[in-house]
Amino acid sequence: MTRNGIGIRTAQLRPHRAVGQIHVYDGAGKGKSQAALGVVLRSIGLGINTRSATRVLLLRFLKGPGRAYDEDGAIEALQQGFPHLIDQVRTGRAEFFGPDEIMRFDRQEARRGWDVAKGAIASGLYSVVVLDELNPVLDLGLLPVDEVVQTLKSKPEEVEIIATGRGAPQQLLDIADLHSEMKPHHHATAAEQGISGIEIYTGAGKGKSTSALGKALQAIGRGISQDKSHRVLIMQWLKGGSGYTEDAAIAALQQSYPALVDHQRCGRDAIVWRGQQQELDYVEAERGWEIARTAIASGLYKTIILDELNPTVDLELLPVEPIVQALLRKPRDTEVIITGRCHNPPAYFDLASIHSEVFCHKHYANQGVELKQGVDF
């Protein structure tokens, strides 16, 4: 039987691997650090659900403690609620610098961060080690590439490594099990009409929904620590049922901040293929859109995640024009983030002020490696 279309693997009743992989997210497009934060959210959720050994280290190079980031509040809240599940270390300057502005301090901070990373990888305490902005650290020559690559190649089998940032060296890409490149697209319509606040993540590579979860974590953190009026909606299509590990972490944040975040799923707990759509698929897609449309129009939410909307439209479960009109009429201070792969880009892509296409250069799933709970779903 030939299957034509896009199917989203659901979370229930699937085997998952125990062996950790090396992920690299690079490229000039947006979404790299967000993808790392999305994995952090999933891993914490898995730990909340299972009480298993799922501790995460979020090690952030080039992001010194002298600067505030949107996600800080949410990470701090999760650390307070679940101190056994997450550690965060930040190193480097608080401001951007180029290759001609490197100081001794930058090399010291990079080495300090790498010493922490080596110890964490070797310790057996962490199931996931996120090396955020490691790639530009290597590209700037602040750490020896050979040493980093050798350490990562020799990691304990069960540890998952996630490296992000522009300029990943070829030696790192060679040992990566997964390499997603975020490539930016620019839409003249959005610029000419002054449309802002619409972000789209699409493409065949891993990192689209994960980036959206990272964006949600940032938005929740902003609401906790900076803007008490910041309210977040996470709306997910084609992901009915249970087994998604981020749910527990989102629920924990909802419990602590009930007025800040809403989370909805719609769809069957099954893959939907083109030509095999069921009546319930249309009903569920429309139900999700009614929630999303109302949220966009209301102005009650500052950040709205429309996860897997693109394949829902591509499968013709929803019409395009009502989505275009809703986005054109959205309040100016409402951000809308849309994710998912699609064969035929719908008209609302032209409204995006940020559009990252995630290219798949490598994916362990293509080598027959199973996905991992707490990382991939």
Side-chain angles (χ1 to χ4, degrees):
M1 177 177 61
T2 301
R3 284 172 168 168
N4 179 28
I6 295 170
I8 305 299
R9 284 191 70 183
T10 53
Q12 273 199 318
L13 300 177
R14 65 164 70 165
H16 61 92
R17 60 182 162 84
V19 176
Q21 306 289 297
I22 298 173
H23 308 228
V24 176
Y25 295 96
D26 78 340
K30 187 175 179 182
K32 302 176 290 293
S33 291
Q34 286 174 198
L37 290 172
V39 174
V40 168
L41 193 68
R42 282 181 173 149
S43 297
I44 292 170
L46 178 62
I48 293 170
N49 266 329
T50 65
R51 298 291 175 181
S52 59
T54 57
R55 193 174 185 89
V56 182
L57 173 65
L58 177 56
L59 175 56
R60 312 174 80 181
F61 294 92
L62 305 177
K63 291 182 177 178
R67 177 180 171 187
Y69 289 86
D70 284 344
E71 60 270 16
D72 290 348
I75 291 172
E76 183 179 344
L78 289 167
Q79 282 179 311
Q80 288 175 355
F82 308 97
H84 62 295
L85 292 180
I86 179 171
D87 291 320
Q88 178 180 206
V89 176
R90 289 167 58 175
T91 71
R93 279 195 249 173
E95 70 274 3
F96 174 82
F97 61 91
D100 299 329
E101 303 165 298
I102 293 173
M103 302 186 300
R104 183 167 175 265
F105 174 79
D106 301 319
R107 299 188 186 281
Q108 289 176 328
E109 282 291 277
R111 173 52 64 177
R112 178 172 73 88
W114 180 238
D115 287 344
V116 173
K118 286 192 297 182
I121 292 168
S123 70
L125 295 174
Y126 298 95
S127 63
V128 178
V129 176
V130 174
L131 304 175
D132 186 31
E133 302 297 353
L134 174 66
N135 299 343
V137 165
L138 297 176
D139 189 50
L140 288 165
L142 299 178
L143 289 172
V145 175
D146 291 345
E147 178 187 342
V148 171
V149 167
Q150 188 56 47
T151 298
L152 297 185
K153 282 175 63 178
S154 305
K155 73 175 183 65
E157 186 178 66
E158 67 279 2
V159 176
E160 205 87 18
I161 303 290
I162 297 164
T164 77
R166 299 189 186 203
Q170 188 60 47
Q171 298 100 304
L172 180 59
L173 298 178
D174 288 343
I175 67 165
D177 301 294
L178 181 143
H179 173 204
S180 288
E181 180 187 0
M182 277 68 170
K183 292 186 178 181
H185 288 263
H186 302 285
H187 296 281
T189 300
E192 290 167 1
Q193 297 186 17
I195 300 169
S196 62
I198 298 171
E199 298 184 14
I200 292 177
Y201 297 90
T202 189
K206 174 177 168 55
K208 304 176 291 293
S209 291
T210 319
S211 290
L213 288 174
K215 183 77 176 184
L217 190 68
Q218 290 175 329
I220 294 165
R222 196 182 316 153
I224 292 170
S225 61
Q226 299 173 36
D227 179 3
K228 301 304 180 186
S229 69
H230 201 112
R231 192 170 170 188
V232 182
L233 171 66
I234 304 168
M235 184 69 233
Q236 298 184 291
W237 279 267
L238 303 176
K239 292 180 176 178
S242 59
Y244 296 90
T245 51
E246 64 264 23
D247 290 1
I250 294 169
L253 290 167
Q254 284 178 310
Q255 188 169 359
S256 299
Y257 305 95
L260 180 57
V261 57
D262 292 316
H263 182 205
Q264 299 273 347
R265 292 189 181 278
C266 64
R268 290 185 291 131
D269 189 13
I271 299 174
V272 180
W273 297 102
R274 189 186 305 279
Q276 299 177 27
Q277 299 97 322
Q278 298 181 10
E279 181 62 28
L280 183 59
D281 298 323
Y282 293 93
V283 171
E284 281 290 282
E286 185 62 32
R287 181 177 70 85
W289 174 242
E290 283 303 308
I291 295 168
R293 180 186 61 78
T294 302
I296 293 168
S298 71
L300 294 174
Y301 297 92
K302 294 288 185 67
T303 300
I304 298 173
I305 310 292
L306 305 181
D307 184 35
E308 304 296 359
L309 178 63
N310 294 335
T312 302
V313 171
D314 200 59
L315 287 163
E316 300 178 349
L317 299 177
L318 286 174
V320 176
E321 188 57 28
I323 299 172
V324 171
Q325 293 304 315
L327 292 175
L328 285 171
R329 292 193 294 265
K330 78 171 184 66
R332 192 163 186 81
D333 62 348
T334 297
E335 279 190 303
V336 178
I337 294 86
I338 303 171
T339 79
R341 68 173 72 189
C342 56
H343 293 152
N344 303 298
Y348 58 75
F349 273 41
D350 288 337
L351 307 180
S353 51
I354 293 173
H355 175 191
S356 281
E357 184 175 1
V358 186
F359 280 75
C360 179
H361 294 286
K362 279 187 189 180
H363 197 312
Y364 38 79
N366 295 333
Q367 307 303 316
V369 177
E370 286 293 344
L371 305 184
K372 187 176 184 180
Q373 196 173 24
V375 174
D376 299 298
F377 62 94

